[in-house]
Amino acid sequence: MDAAALQKQVLELRRQLAESRARNRAMWSLLAEISQRLQASSTSIKAAVSSLLDYDIFWDGSTQHEFLETIDDSVDQGSNLIVLMTLAFRSEASSLEMKPETHTLQEILSTVLDTILAKMPGLELKVDFPPEGEPVFVDYGYLAVALRLLLEVLIEPEPPPAQIELLAAEAENSWLLDIGPIPETIGVAIGHLCQDRFDELLTSDNFLPLSPEKLLKLFTASRIFRLQDIQLDVQTGETEKAGLRLSIPVARPGQ
Amino acid sequence: MNSVKILLISEEPNILRTLRRNLISRGYEVSIALDDQEAVDMVCCEEFDLYILDLDFKTPQVDGLAICRQVRELSHAPIIVLSTVGSEATKIEALDLGADDYQVMPFSMGEFLARVRSALRRWATYRTGALNQNNVILSGELLIDTESRQVTIKGDEIHLTPTEYELLHYLAQNSGKVITHRELLQSVWGPEYGDEREYLRVFISQLRRKIEADPLRPAYILTEPGVGYRFARDR
């Protein structure tokens, strides 16, 4: 190898190292932000428990119930964050193992939509997918989690969107799942995630409207999609609002 | 009927619910602001005796420290700041922006309520005027009228927050005597305090900026390194 080629290789290695450091910093700062959210949950729990343990005041049955509800809700919040962090960091450490099998996409979508509607009963979902078609080759559990995380981010803005549309259509070798509309910020964030520019998400002012929790959800969902060879793209039209397109591979013969 | 009015500022429903229930059960009148705009609107149109501000807003556009500054600009009443961040730098920043106390989360309700009572005691003293046999403390060009709670330098009135006033008053009352950090914290903030030296650093520096001709070479409030502070006698 001549000196020029060697020099080029060194520069490339340096670039990769810098990228990797930036990425690490981003992950750690995100972890710190999420830990702070966990502290908020533990604050609610501690405040409610210590209220119940206080003997200077008599709490009637309904107030006691209110404190218990607070504890219940805060435990759920904390536990959801822990699950999210576990998934995100396992995917980052490449220890998230996918076990793909053949499944019908319709069944997975129904499961996910049930969960989302249970969380937000008033949400208007426009769903259109053919009742039959080729099966997909995916890890059912993880795909359901990734879709749920993605939809949660889409329905969480204040005020929530009037309607979310899910349209599934079979194409050659894959199912195309279109989800929309999506806010511009989320579209840009997902665009960065698709290009593996995760660290930029945390340093750019463009993403200020996205909370660390939402970023971590998007990050985790995009990682799970990638681990299952599912392509995620942001679709933008000149007149239409932006949307997402997932290309989910169909099962090949023998799978 | 206790008519003490408290404004809770937070967007975390579970924290709000628990704090509100506890405060109401102890006879306080509690209002809630969910973001910066609501907080400012409420502070503008109503007089509160205490503000409890949760700094950790999830919504990235809402800055808890900016709310602290805005509330302080609009009101003299004490501000207790709540945050999961326990670093000294953040505490100092919050105190610098006008907070009177900083409670790191999580906390027990007993501890929280003790801080509420301390803050309200200071506020009540400030509003009613401290009872002092000698109504005027004079040192050099600094005059403290303990009845009207007015502080003047060369005849010009200096605006102090209730906590700054209490601190100056306590030191001036004991002029010439070294007051330890612990004694000062317990006398001004309340008996539950004692280790919060960063509070003193911030408030003493604010006071010096207001009353000293050269805050870097103070003439009134002198530092006794490692021990506390002393108000210069007979300037």
Side-chain angles (χ1 to χ4, degrees):
Chain A
M1 187 183 288
D2 63 18
L6 192 64
Q7 175 73 6
K8 201 174 164 187
Q9 236 181 30
V10 169
L11 286 174
E12 174 58 18
L13 281 172
R14 280 195 182 143
R15 190 192 60 77
Q16 283 177 13
L17 185 66
E19 265 182 22
S20 161
R21 282 186 176 144
R23 189 187 177 79
N24 265 341
R25 274 198 301 275
M27 281 310 280
W28 284 114
S29 82
L30 195 57
L31 178 63
E33 293 286 341
I34 297 289
S35 303
Q36 205 175 324
R37 303 278 183 270
L38 277 172
Q39 278 283 69
S41 295
S42 72
T43 298
S44 305
I45 296 168
K46 179 142 181 143
V49 169
S50 61
S51 304
L52 287 168
L53 291 174
D54 265 351
Y55 293 112
D56 69 322
I57 200 156
F58 173 77
W59 301 111
D60 61 22
S62 79
T63 310
Q64 286 182 26
H65 187 77
E66 191 182 309
F67 285 136
L68 291 172
E69 270 181 354
T70 299
I71 295 166
D72 187 48
D73 192 42
S74 304
V75 168
D76 283 349
Q77 274 180 21
S79 139
N80 286 340
L81 282 174
I82 291 169
V83 169
L84 183 60
M85 279 206 290
T86 310
L87 280 172
F89 286 91
R90 277 201 179 143
S91 76
E92 188 65 2
S94 306
S95 63
L96 210 57
E97 199 187 335
M98 299 292 133
K99 290 184 178 152
E101 288 175 355
T102 52
H103 299 283
T104 61
L105 181 62
Q106 291 85 339
E107 193 194 324
I108 300 173
L109 288 177
S110 300
T111 310
V112 174
L113 297 181
D114 283 350
T115 319
I116 291 292
L117 284 172
K119 191 171 176 172
M120 196 181 263
L123 179 72
E124 201 180 319
L125 273 173
K126 186 180 167 193
V127 180
D128 184 6
F129 45 83
E132 289 176 1
E134 290 289 318
V136 288
F137 190 66
V138 292
D139 183 309
Y140 188 118
Y142 279 124
L143 178 55
V145 167
L147 286 171
R148 178 177 56 79
L149 293 176
L150 188 61
L151 287 171
E152 277 176 4
V153 174
L154 298 185
I155 63 172
E156 273 167 9
E158 284 293 335
Q163 188 187 55
I164 294 272
E165 245 181 46
L166 272 100
L167 307 172
E170 205 174 339
E172 201 181 343
N173 300 325
S174 64
W175 275 91
L176 302 179
L177 178 61
D178 291 331
I179 306 173
I182 57 166
E184 195 188 344
T185 354
I186 292 179
V188 180
I190 291 175
H192 273 67
L193 286 168
C194 294
Q195 292 167 36
D196 215 10
R197 284 153 54 204
F198 172 66
D199 49 299
E200 289 175 25
L201 280 179
L202 293 171
T203 48
S204 168
D205 286 346
N206 295 335
F207 303 102
L208 276 178
L210 281 189
S211 68
E213 198 177 332
K214 283 183 186 168
L215 275 180
L216 200 60
K217 281 182 178 178
L218 289 179
F219 170 80
T220 309
S222 71
R223 277 316 187 92
I224 293 175
F225 292 140
R226 189 181 297 178
L227 287 169
Q228 308 212 44
D229 295 324
I230 295 170
Q231 200 181 321
L232 172 62
D233 293 302
V234 181
Q235 311 269 300
T236 45
E238 285 198 1
T239 51
E240 292 168 30
K241 284 192 171 175
L244 294 175
R245 170 166 285 182
L246 289 164
S247 308
I248 307 169
V250 297
R252 288 191 299 272
Q255 278 185 327
Chain B
M1 168 92 189
N2 199 333
S3 62
V4 172
K5 288 200 224 169
I6 298 178
L7 179 63
L8 284 177
I9 308 165
S10 171
E11 65 170 357
E12 178 54 56
N14 286 330
I15 291 177
L16 280 173
R17 189 153 65 157
T18 309
L19 299 187
R20 182 176 169 273
R21 172 63 64 197
N22 271 279
L23 293 168
I24 285 177
S25 302
R26 275 138 182 115
Y28 302 116
E29 202 178 305
V30 180
S31 303
I32 283 174
L34 295 170
D35 59 32
D36 45 358
Q37 197 51 55
E38 266 187 35
V40 170
D41 288 349
M42 293 175 88
V43 180
C44 282
C45 57
E46 209 172 330
E47 229 176 86
F48 292 95
D49 300 292
L50 173 64
Y51 300 96
I52 297 167
L53 165 64
D54 174 3
L55 283 187
D56 305 337
F57 278 84
K58 279 186 202 170
T59 314
Q61 298 93 320
V62 182
D63 178 0
L65 285 170
I67 299 178
C68 183
R69 195 191 61 238
Q70 285 172 304
V71 172
R72 176 51 71 231
E73 280 167 5
L74 295 165
S75 168
H76 272 127
I79 304 171
I80 300 178
V81 154
L82 314 175
S83 175
T84 54
V85 182
S87 75
E88 195 177 302
T90 316
K91 281 185 191 174
I92 288 174
E93 201 178 351
L95 296 170
D96 258 339
L97 289 172
D100 295 85
D101 196 0
Y102 190 107
Q103 169 101 59
V104 179
M105 301 195 269
F107 47 77
S108 73
M109 202 42 67
E111 189 187 351
F112 168 75
L113 291 168
R115 285 174 186 253
V116 167
R117 288 192 297 271
S118 284
L120 289 171
R121 267 199 305 272
R122 287 198 300 279
W123 179 236
T125 314
Y126 177 80
R127 293 187 81 176
T128 54
L131 295 173
N132 196 318
Q133 295 301 316
N134 305 310
N135 288 341
V136 171
I137 300 171
L138 180 65
S139 177
E141 290 161 335
L142 176 75
L143 187 141
I144 306 169
D145 182 336
T146 57
E147 203 168 79
S148 66
R149 300 175 69 88
Q150 266 192 339
V151 176
T152 54
I153 293 255
K154 293 185 199 170
D156 294 332
E157 194 179 339
I158 309 288
H159 293 283
L160 301 181
T161 67
T163 307
E164 286 166 359
Y165 176 84
E166 291 298 331
L167 201 53
L168 178 66
H169 182 220
Y170 192 82
L171 286 165
Q173 252 185 336
N174 295 284
S175 68
K177 187 180 158 197
V178 176
I179 310 290
T180 64
H181 296 118
R182 181 167 291 275
E183 181 186 339
L184 208 44
L185 282 162
Q186 291 184 336
S187 308
V188 176
W189 273 266
E192 304 84 3
Y193 295 79
D195 297 322
E196 296 80 356
R197 288 194 186 185
E198 66 275 15
Y199 287 27
L200 292 178
R201 269 184 16 224
V202 170
F203 280 91
I204 293 285
S205 117
Q206 283 169 357
L207 260 180
R208 281 175 174 158
R209 280 201 295 269
K210 290 182 180 180
I211 65 167
E212 302 280 3
D214 180 358
L216 294 177
R217 277 175 282 277
Y220 294 106
I221 302 175
L222 310 175
T223 302
E224 292 292 333
V227 184
Y229 298 94
R230 179 168 53 86
F231 192 86
R233 192 205 296 263
D234 301 331
R235 287 195 67 250

